Amino acid sequence: MRVPVLAAAVAACLSGPAAAHEFKAGDLTIDHPSSRPTPPGAKVGVGYLTIRNDGAEADRLLGGSATVAGRFEIHASTVEDGVARMRRAENGIVVGPGATVKLASGGTHVMLLDLKEPIVKGKSFDGTLVFERAGTVPVRFSVEGFGAAAAAPSHEGHKP
Ligand SMILES: [Cu+2]
C-alpha cells in the first residue's frame, strides 16, 4: 500500500467561498468542493465536487470526512421505474486515467450524515477525501445557495 499524500497542495483558495477553488494530490485535481445549506434540525447534507485524473493509472474515491458530519458516504443516483433513487456506492467511484468525474446534483454525490450543526450558506467547512492511491486529501467545502430547496427534501428520506 502506498503512503497517503497528506501534504496535498492547496492550489488556490484565495477569493470568496463561491469562487472556484481546487486541491491537488499527486495526479488528481479536486475542483470546487461545495455543499448546500440545510434547514435547522436537518441530519443530512450533500457534497459536490469534480475530480480530474491527469495520471496514467486509475484511482478510486473511497470515502472521506467532513467536520460538520458524523458520517460521510458516496451515493450513486439511479432511475428505477421512472423514480430517482439513491444508494450507497459501496465500491467507491473510479476515476480513470485522463478522466474527469463530476459529483453533482442529480448524480453521484457525497452524502453527509448525522450532521452536528446546520450547514450555513456563505460559510465553508473542512473535510477530507480518501482515495485508493492518492490517500487522504484535505479539502474545504464552500456552502452555496443554489439548489438548496431541491436538494434538501430529496435527501431527508435517506436512512442508513
Ligand atoms: Cu444520497
Side-chain angles (χ1 to χ4, degrees), residues 48 67 120:
Y48 303 131
T67 54
V120 179

Side-chain angles (χ1 to χ4, degrees), residues 75 86 109 111 155 158:
H75 282 202
M86 291 186 246
H109 55 276
M111 182 88 0
H155 289 91
H158 267 343

Side-chain angles (χ1 to χ4, degrees), residues 1-3 6 14 17 20 34 41 49 54-55 61 65 79 91 94-95 105 107 111 132 143 152-153 160:
M1 184 180 166
R2 285 166 45 130
V3 177
L6 291 171
L14 300 172
S34 64
L49 51 109
D54 291 318
L61 176 63
S65 66
V79 177
N91 298 317
V94 173
V95 187
S105 179
M111 182 88 0
E132 198 169 60
V143 184

